[in-house]
Structure formats: structure tokens, C-alpha cells
Amino acid sequence: MGKPEFVGKKSKAAGGWGALKSCGKKLLASGAPLTGAAAMLKANQPDGFDCPGCAWGDPEHGSSFEFCENGVKAVAWEATDKRVRPDFFNSHTVTELRRWTDYELEREGRLTHPMRYDATSDTYLETTWDAAFTEIGAVLNSLDSPDRAEFYTSGRASNEAAYVYQLFVRLYGTNNFPDCSNMCHEASGVALEQAIGIGKGTVVLEDFEKADAIFVIGQNPGTNHPRMLGDLRRAALRGAKVAVFNPVREKGLERFADPQDKIEMLTGGSKPIASEYYQVHLGGDMAAVRGMAKAVFALDEAARAAGNPSLLDHGFLEQHTSGLEHYRAAVEATSWDDIESQSGLSRAELEHLAGIYVSSERTICTWAMGVTQHRHSVATIREIANFMFLRGNVGRPGTGLCPVRGHSNVQGDRTVGINEKPSRAFLDSLEKEFGVSMPRRAGHNVIGAIGAMLDGSAQAFIGLGGNFARATPDSALIAKALRSQKLTVNIATKLNHSHLLPGEVSYILPCLGRTEIDRNAKGVAQIVTVEDSMSMVHGSGGINRPASPQLRSEIAIIAGIAAATVGSDVVDWAALSQNYDLVRDLIARTIPGFHGYNERVRKPRGFRLYNAVEHRVWHTRTRKATFSSAHLPRETEHQQALGEHGLFVLQTFRSHDQYNTTVYGLDDRYRGVYGERRIVFVNPDDLAEIGAESGDRIDIVGHHEDGVERIAESFRVVSYDLPRGSVAGYYPELNVLVPLASAGIESDTPTSKSVLVTFRLAEQRKAA
Ligand SMILES: Nc1nc2c(c(=O)[nH]1)N[C@H]1C(S)=C(S)[C@@H](COP(=O)(O)OP(=O)(O)OC[C@H]3O[C@@H](n4cnc5c(=O)[nH]c(N)nc54)[C@H](O)[C@@H]3O)O[C@H]1N2
Ligand SMILES: Nc1nc2c(c(=O)[nH]1)N[C@H]1C(S)=C(S)[C@@H](COP(=O)(O)OP(=O)(O)OC[C@H]3O[C@@H](n4cnc5c(=O)[nH]c(N)nc54)[C@H](O)[C@@H]3O)O[C@H]1N2
Ligand SMILES: [Mo]
């Protein structure tokens, strides 16, 4: 079997020279080698901007520049010299642009002018900011209820932009806040809120220096949180165990050459990171964690029977938790058969892992999309919390629960009020501050908003960043939903598919990016603030010249729309847009934890938001850390696929050359794939069984029970090391297969990591 041309050498390790070389290429290709490189030196520095790449924390000590290949790509992509000017739109109709790929669209460069859609010519035409604000305000005010408008947020928006946005939208009269987090870490928020009383992680970066064991579940940090690899590597070097659960063997998690380490770079050496790598089945993590807990209980009994001290933290369990007995009963009632067949791991493996857990004084557990994008994600995360409670691994140095966030400020956006189900306390405090009543009805999340757009009850869509049409499931339906709107507005840095599905009235409003200097009318540079995965809030100020003199900041754009829609009686929008200190003062007055905001955020590393769990105070219903005692799912999609010939479960993940729907390039270096994204990774035995060879083209057909036909055409199969019955491919190309109707229990998150599919091979394709 010859190797297809797009399958090449896999990098021996993540990071290293490959990463450096790739960075150089990215900076050159972005058309901005110099500004890009200069900008990189300011990323995550006390006086620079927050890297838009990911939400991993910044080190406390020293200001040494932390090198990260994918951070370079994110910065270079924004700092490009290329521009999408009005003449670009004049020479391409929207219908024509819809045929371009995301990669081709974004590669054209930065948006420069406010644009309005003209249906007659099917093009976007240049307009003025004032005309845009006036018309947007008029359409919003013409709707028969504020609940007919949807206000989407993507997680790059700063705290200040997000706060001004939610304030405007609530004064307008709705809580319709579909948010990228609905497709991302929603399950973590819901589960942690129930388990520990706060929907965020409990660790700080320093905890990684103290932990004896770190469980990394369902994430690919080599690509998506490269700076985390540095922390894992340092932990591994000082002897901490790093146990990975991932169906796919991800290079970055196996070995890592540190680009900051000169010796390793010169010798080509690399250090192993994961001491333990377990290829759990898709959706099998709850079973795996339950298996470990079962083994921990057994080890504890054996220890006590032998007259040794208990392996559980009884002090913590008695004083701080509730529900242990029910949980223990649920664990006892779960059979090893079920655990093994659902997790795909053997009893012996799980007992071995339990051994690591009980010999570790301090344990951290991290997770991301491999855990959150399943039907039973909330139950899985609660199981992780249960497991960690057993030995008091929360609220103690070197321990904790660590959902690793996606977008660089997705956590901060939530903190400052982007929430379709706001707490009563928050609304009360807004009412007290502004002296007007706030909407109390719960609003729409992403799935709710799409439903409302489809059934005609929503008629306007505003997007503060992001790429709603491509990030959401069932791409064909979303296109219909957006096109049916009376108004669509996208505040964005780069052109994407969501902008090419205009409603009756449609605008693209170009904004400044993080890397750019944001000066007010008097020429005073403004800073914004963001919150990372460790709840650290810090300042971010751009250093590059704006991509176009026409650009406005997100805050100024929202302020403009707000003034034209709700007027300036209650809030002086113009004043806020000229001085972000005033926005921060409002945040400090209406949201707990932000006292002295303006002062504290100007300290080099900012400040950490109060986290009650650190003090072992639990804002749960029981006022304790709360065990759950759910059953395992009766059958996961993976089990279903294994039981039926020709059926597979597909996960949609990220390549090394993309940022969500932004595609930087067509390579996936760590997985050895070059120049091609329409591929699907399949286990070699499965390939043989279906009679296909690496490189063959197939169609992937959705298999959801709702009878809707979903087909992803002409993908190439690649033989890969992943469990039988499961396959993997890239988002967003495969979103056509993700059914809108399949969402997480309690989280409503699309199940992007467990989509049932079948394949159609060449002959069958011809016949179809
Ligand atoms: N460069 C770059 N950085 C990014 C992003 C990006 O696109 N590019 N996106 C940002 C955002 S918004 C987010 S949310 C994060 C995403 O960060 P990740 O969660 O790392 O993103 P994915 O690529 O979706 O990777 C999911 C990983 O989980 C594994 N997995 C899938 N299903 C299962 C399962 O059932 N069990 C287990 N144990 N593992 C499973 C997959 O094999 C894969 O390794 O990264 C952020 N950072
Ligand atoms: N099948 C499948 N679907 C998924 C996922 C998956 O794993 N599988 N992951 C989900 C996850 S975790 C997430 S977070 C969502 C992401 O969903 P989104 O956040 O909606 O998508 P992005 O691709 O991050 O948005 C990219 C666009 O943001 C704009 N942009 C970039 N920087 C800025 C800025 O500074 N300001 C403004 N205003 N705009 C800017 C640019 O125009 C760019 O085209 O997708 C989800 N969808
Ligand atoms: Mo995300």
C-alpha cells in the first residue's frame, strides 16, 4: 500500500525546531514578519497584550517570554498586512464568496470599513458608522419584543466589551445571550456549580509545581494549550506522574521538546511527558473514573483490613462533603464488566491508575472538549469531582479541578454577565446601580437561539466576534436561520462565513484586535482586561498601529449601537467608550470581587478573583462539596458503533493549524497530515474491514435517528492509532454532520465528540 501524498512524517515530538520553523513560516505567510515578531515579544508581558491564542495562565515570576508556536500564529494572523477593503467587496458577490473556504476568506486579511449589504447587487457596500448605528437601532426598536433579538458573544471579547454589551442588551430588554461557551465548557460550568458551588476551576499555575499526579483527560494541549505543556513537562521532570486519557495518541502529550531549552533544541532530544497514556473509548471517561474510584475504595478496604491507615481523607469527607454514602453505593452497584466495556480500559489498568492516585498526596485533574462535548458530560465532570473529593483534592495547594478553557477570555465574559440565565443577585445589583428594571426571563443559549431563528420567533442576530454559522451544528440549517433574519450584524476583525449569510438588513462592522493600540479621541491609549483559566484578571494593551483608521474598538461599536437603540439617559455610552476606567468602575460596583479594579489591574500580573473553594467554603445547595451518584450511560455511542457492523462514532477536533473556524494552514504536523483537511482518521483494522486503503475518498453519512440526511462528501481516509469503532476528523468542515438535536444533558452543548456515522465508499458513491 503506497502512502498517499498528503500523509507525511509525524514530528518526533511536539515543540522543538519544528515549532520554531513553523512559526517563521507563519509570520512570513501572514505578510507581517516584523510587526508580528515585535508583537510576539509583547504577548503575555506585563506591559503588552494578552495573547489571543488560549486561556492558559501566565507565570507569576519573571517576565521571560514564553514561547508558543500557536500563539505566534494567532498574533501573526491578526497582525497581517493584507486588507479586505471596500473594492474587494465590489469585485466579489456574496454568493461567489460563499463558495470560498474559511481559509481563503480569512487569508484575504483584515476588514477595514463598515459595510452594508446591498441585495440588488448582492455585494457589501461601504457605509458610515453613523448610518450603521442609526439603522441597526431602528430595526431593533421595530421588533415587537426585545426577545426577538439574539446577541451572540465569542470568547475573545474583553471584560469591558462584554460588560458594556450585556448592559446594553439588558437595557434593551432581553437575556438572549447565546455564547460560544455553550458549545465549549458549559458542562464544566454546570457540573462544578453543582459539585463545588462555583462554575470555574480551582487551581492556580503554582499548583502544577506541587502536584504529585496530574490526570489530563480529553484534551490536546500540544496544539490547543501549548504553554500548558511546559508546566506538564516541568512536573514530569521533577517526578510527578502525568496520566493521560485520550482515544487518540497525541504527539504533544507523549513527548515534548521545549523550544526554550537550548540543549534539547541542539541535541534534538525530547522528554516524555505522559508517564501513563490510556486510549479510553470516546465517551468512556465517566466509566474510567468510576473504575478508578471503585479500585480506590477496594484499596482502602484492603489497607484498613491490614491495619494500615485509611487511604481516604476522612477529615475532609466528614467536614466538607455530602452524599458520600449514595456515591459509594452507586460505585458498588456498577459492575467491572460495564466499566470495562464502556471505558475500553481493563480492570487491571484502572487499578494501576488508582494506585497512582492513592500514592499521590496532591492531585490535579484537567480536562477540555474530549469531556465536555458528549451527551453525559455533566455527569462525567461530576464523577471527576467525586473522585477528587475522596482524597481531599480540592481547596488545598497542589490539588484541584482544572477545566482548561478555550477562548482567551471566555471565562471573563461569563464573570461580567454574558449569561442567558443571570443570577438574581446580579440583576438586583444592576437595578440598584442603574435605577431601572432588568429583564428577569431566562434567555436563549446557542441551541435556543437557533431554534428561535428557525421557527421565526427570533428576527435579529448580532454577533460580537466569532463565526456563528460555522461553529454551530447542522451547518445547512444555520444558513437558513441567519438568512431569514430581518437584521444580521457582525462585529469582526476578519471576513468569515457568518458574514456571507445576510438577513434583510445586514452589516459587517470592523473592529480593533487585541494587538492594536486603542486610542480615544484625545489620543490616550486604553487598556482592556481579561480573565484566564486560573481566574487571574490582568490588563491587555495593544502595540500595533490599527489595521485601518476606520476601525473602532468593540466597546465603541457597542456604545454606538446602544446609544442609537436605548438612548443615553440611563448610561452615558459615549463617556464609557472614551474611558474604559469608567467601565471598570461600573464592574467593580456591580460584580463581587472587582473592588479596586482599576488599581489592581495595573499591577504587573493583575489579580486573582476570589474563589471560595480555596477556603473550602462551598456555595452549593448543601453548603458542602457535593457528591453525585449517577448511573453510567446505558450505552455510549461508541458501544453502539462497536455493536453494529459499518457504524462508527466520529469526534470532531482541531488540527494543529487552526484556531476554531479560523484555518491558518492545511497541515496537521503532529499527526503527520499535510496540505489537506478533508480527511478522516480510521483504525487500520476498521479500514481493512470496510475494504478501504489510506488515501481513498469516501463520503461520511450521518446516522442520527431524526431522519434528516447529513452527508460530508469526499473525505480521504487516513489509517491512525485510535480505538476500533471510533473515527476522527476536523471541525468546522464536519459540522454538517453534527445534529442540532443531539445535545448534552443539562448543558445543551452539541455532542461534537460523539456523532454516529457510516461511510460510503467509491463504488457506493457512484451508485448514490
Ligand atoms: N491553536 C489552537 N488553540 C486553541 C483552539 C484552537 O482551535 N487552536 N481552540 C481554543 C478553544 S475555543 C478550546 S475550547 C480549546 C480546545 O482544546 P481541546 O479540548 O484540546 O480541543 P480538541 O481539538 O477539540 O481536542 C479534543 C481532544 O480530546 C480528545 N477526545 C475526544 N473525545 C474524547 C473522549 O471521549 N474522551 C477523552 N478522554 N478524550 C477525547 C481528542 O482525541 C483530542 O485530543 O482550545 C483553545 N485553544
Ligand atoms: N463540531 C465542532 N464544533 C465546535 C467545536 C468542536 O470541537 N467541534 N468547538 C466549539 C467551541 S469549543 C467553540 S469555543 C466554538 C467557537 O466558536 P466562535 O467563537 O464563534 O468561532 P471562532 O472561530 O473562534 O471565531 C472566529 C472569528 O472571530 C472573529 N474575531 C477574531 N478576533 C476577533 C476580535 O478580537 N474581535 C472580534 N469582534 N472578532 C474577532 C474573526 O472574524 C474570526 O473569523 O466552536 C464550537 N464548535
Ligand atoms: Mo471553546
Side-chain angles (χ1 to χ4, degrees):
M1 187 168 81
K3 257 207 179 143
E5 68 280 12
F6 61 91
V7 178
K9 222 171 71 195
K10 280 182 207 137
S11 305
K12 282 207 278 307
W17 288 114
L20 264 188
K21 213 165 76 190
S22 163
C23 272
K25 274 204 231 153
K26 280 311 173 301
L27 287 172
L28 288 169
S30 76
L34 289 177
T35 41
M40 229 20 240
L41 296 172
K42 285 285 184 189
N44 294 336
Q45 295 308 301
D47 58 341
F49 56 88
D50 180 69
C51 178
C54 77
W56 191 247
D58 305 322
E60 183 92 37
H61 3 267
S63 64
S64 79
F65 158 65
E66 266 213 301
F67 174 88
C68 158
E69 176 193 0
N70 278 350
V72 171
K73 291 182 197 165
V75 168
W77 206 243
E78 184 173 295
T80 173
D81 282 345
K82 298 187 187 141
R83 298 288 178 268
V84 173
R85 298 198 169 84
D87 58 353
F88 171 86
F89 289 104
N90 292 340
S91 43
H92 303 285
T93 64
V94 167
T95 308
E96 178 198 335
L97 290 174
R98 265 204 295 274
R99 287 193 289 269
W100 293 28
T101 62
D102 301 282
Y103 175 54
E104 290 161 339
L105 288 173
E106 288 215 24
R107 209 174 38 173
E108 288 297 314
R110 291 286 300 278
L111 295 159
T112 58
H113 288 71
M115 307 295 295
R116 182 185 188 282
Y117 181 64
D118 171 55
T120 323
S121 60
D122 186 31
T123 57
Y124 273 99
L125 303 177
E126 183 180 348
T127 183
T128 65
W129 285 104
D130 282 345
F133 295 153
T134 307
E135 190 176 24
I136 294 166
V139 181
L140 285 175
N141 283 326
S142 75
L143 303 179
D144 53 21
S145 152
D147 289 332
R148 298 216 177 281
E150 306 291 347
F151 297 87
Y152 179 65
T153 315
S154 169
R156 257 193 211 185
S158 63
N159 283 354
E160 290 76 6
Y163 185 84
V164 171
Y165 191 51
Q166 66 79 33
L167 184 58
F168 152 56
V169 172
R170 293 201 162 100
L171 288 173
Y172 171 65
T174 183
N175 285 310
N176 283 348
F177 286 109
D179 176 20
C180 71
S181 145
N182 298 144
M183 298 178 272
C184 183
H185 264 295
E186 189 73 40
S188 307
V190 172
L192 293 177
E193 193 87 50
Q194 297 170 356
I196 57 171
I198 177 167
K200 299 183 183 182
T202 70
V203 305
V204 290
L205 226 39
E206 290 67 48
D207 290 323
F208 283 84
E209 294 166 13
K210 300 179 186 133
D212 311 308
I214 304 169
F215 288 80
V216 179
I217 309 187
Q219 68 170 127
N220 182 22
T223 287
N224 298 314
H225 306 92
R227 289 180 300 116
M228 178 180 178
L229 280 193
D231 294 285
L232 290 178
R233 178 175 178 276
R234 281 185 286 277
L237 284 177
R238 63 172 175 75
K241 294 268 191 242
V242 178
V244 168
F245 290 75
N246 198 313
V248 179
R249 284 219 159 250
E250 303 285 23
K251 199 87 264 163
L253 281 166
E254 293 182 288
R255 303 192 76 81
F256 178 59
D258 188 350
Q260 344 256 350
D261 182 330
K262 289 178 200 66
I263 304 269
E264 278 194 3
M265 296 285 282
L266 289 174
T267 58
S270 68
K271 300 270 178 357
I273 289 188
S275 35
E276 314 280 329
Y277 205 112
Y278 290 94
Q279 288 181 278
V280 64
H281 282 187
L282 282 180
D285 301 282
M286 182 178 179
V289 177
R290 174 133 322 169
M292 291 195 292
K294 198 173 171 78
V296 168
F297 283 126
L299 286 171
D300 175 55
E301 263 171 39
R304 282 185 298 136
N308 294 325
S310 171
L311 299 172
L312 308 183
D313 183 345
H314 288 284
F316 176 77
L317 291 170
E318 273 144 41
Q319 195 189 339
H320 286 291
T321 69
S322 81
L324 173 62
E325 284 321 306
H326 286 295
Y327 176 58
R328 196 175 180 133
V331 172
E332 268 157 28
T334 314
S335 72
W336 277 111
D337 274 356
D338 285 348
I339 289 169
E340 288 187 320
S341 71
Q342 197 157 104
S343 66
L345 304 180
S346 70
R347 176 175 178 171
E349 287 171 318
L350 292 165
E351 283 172 344
H352 168 74
L353 283 159
I356 291 177
Y357 181 66
V358 298
S359 6
S360 158
E361 271 315 299
R362 285 168 286 268
T363 303
I364 290 176
C365 186
T366 79
W367 68 90
M369 297 305 102
V371 169
T372 63
Q373 295 176 334
H374 291 288
R375 214 154 27 94
H376 55 290
S377 296
V378 171
T380 303
I381 296 160
R382 294 220 48 194
E383 190 69 18
I384 292 173
N386 293 339
F387 177 62
M388 295 289 276
F389 294 158
L390 293 179
R391 287 179 50 82
N393 279 312
V394 262
R396 188 158 66 82
T399 73
L401 295 160
C402 182
V404 183
R405 292 280 176 167
H407 266 302
S408 49
N409 197 39
V410 60
Q411 185 160 318
D413 291 346
R414 271 292 153 94
T415 304
V416 302
I418 302 298
N419 191 334
E420 80 282 3
K421 286 182 268 177
S423 72
R424 194 187 299 165
F426 175 58
L427 294 178
D428 288 348
S429 116
L430 288 180
E431 289 187 353
K432 195 161 143 248
E433 175 68 29
F434 297 101
V436 291
S437 61
M438 294 287 155
R440 297 274 165 172
R441 295 169 306 282
H444 293 145
N445 60 10
V446 163
I447 298 235
I450 294 170
M453 286 196 257
L454 283 172
D455 72 19
S457 56
Q459 296 165 341
F461 172 88
I462 316 269
L464 177 56
N467 188 355
F468 190 77
R470 297 290 279 160
T472 49
D474 264 333
S475 312
L477 280 180
I478 307 306
K480 210 172 103 202
L482 282 170
R483 299 236 50 188
S484 71
Q485 299 298 292
K486 282 196 173 138
L487 173 71
T488 53
V489 178
N490 284 286
I491 300 168
T493 50
K494 286 208 168 175
L495 187 61
N496 67 44
H497 268 274
S498 302
H499 312 160
L500 303 175
L501 298 162
E504 244 170 86
V505 173
S506 186
Y507 285 94
I508 302 173
L509 304 178
C511 65
L512 293 170
R514 281 246 184 103
T515 55
E516 289 163 324
I517 306 176
D518 179 357
R519 289 190 200 285
N520 68 9
K522 292 203 183 107
V524 182
Q526 302 291 305
I527 60 159
V528 293
T529 59
V530 295
E531 174 185 340
D532 66 27
S533 285
M534 280 88 199
S535 305
M536 292 292 300
V537 178
H538 49 85
S540 172
I543 57 154
N544 287 342
R545 202 157 46 114
S548 142
Q550 284 273 340
L551 298 187
R552 294 202 180 172
S553 73
E554 293 176 327
I555 299 164
I557 296 170
I558 301 158
I561 298 176
T565 311
V566 300
S568 298
D569 294 345
V570 176
V571 176
D572 183 350
W573 304 105
L576 296 185
S577 72
Q578 290 299 306
N579 181 359
Y580 303 167
D581 280 0
L582 299 179
V583 181
R584 284 184 285 270
D585 285 340
L586 289 176
I587 296 176
R589 286 209 294 275
T590 49
I591 299 176
F594 285 95
H595 54 90
Y597 196 176
N598 273 309
E599 200 186 309
R600 286 198 290 161
V601 86
R602 286 186 165 86
K603 301 218 171 99
R605 295 282 161 196
F607 62 96
R608 178 147 196 259
L609 284 173
Y610 175 79
N611 190 322
V613 169
E614 221 176 289
H615 309 277
R616 292 198 159 166
V617 172
W618 318 94
H619 294 297
T620 56
R621 248 186 317 161
T622 59
R623 301 282 138 190
K624 304 258 178 171
T626 308
F627 278 95
S628 65
S629 46
H631 294 294
L632 297 186
R634 205 152 41 86
E635 188 182 50
T636 59
E637 284 77 5
H638 198 154
Q639 287 176 296
Q640 213 177 321
L642 286 172
E644 203 176 317
H645 180 74
L647 187 64
F648 295 93
V649 59
L650 165 79
Q651 65 145 319
T652 55
F653 59 16
R654 291 151 173 83
S655 85
H656 194 61
D657 256 1
Q658 77 182 82
Y659 195 93
N660 298 338
T661 69
T662 294
V663 176
Y664 301 127
L666 303 178
D667 298 344
D668 194 2
R669 188 158 45 85
Y670 295 163
R671 299 192 186 110
V673 168
Y674 297 89
E676 174 78 270
R677 284 182 56 86
R678 295 181 76 81
I679 58 156
V680 54
F681 298 99
V682 185
N683 175 291
D685 294 336
D686 283 333
L687 268 189
E689 195 170 294
I690 59 173
E693 287 191 359
S694 224
D696 285 356
R697 284 202 183 274
I698 50 127
D699 295 338
I700 315 172
V701 183
H703 195 80
H704 194 61
E705 70 267 344
D706 58 4
V708 177
E709 184 177 76
R710 297 182 179 85
I711 304 174
E713 279 180 346
S714 192
F715 278 63
R716 304 176 84 159
V717 290
V718 175
S719 169
Y720 211 79
D721 185 359
L722 38 67
R724 288 201 71 169
S726 68
V727 299
Y730 304 128
Y731 133 78
E733 284 82 351
L734 287 167
N735 281 33
V736 289
L737 297 173
V738 182
L740 194 54
S742 171
I745 300 161
E746 290 182 274
S747 66
D748 231 6
T749 299
T751 52
S752 311
K753 299 285 191 270
S754 46
V755 183
L756 286 171
V757 297
T758 55
F759 291 153
R760 215 155 61 183
L761 303 186
E763 323 80 75
Q764 300 157 325
R765 288 181 67 204
K766 271 185 237 122

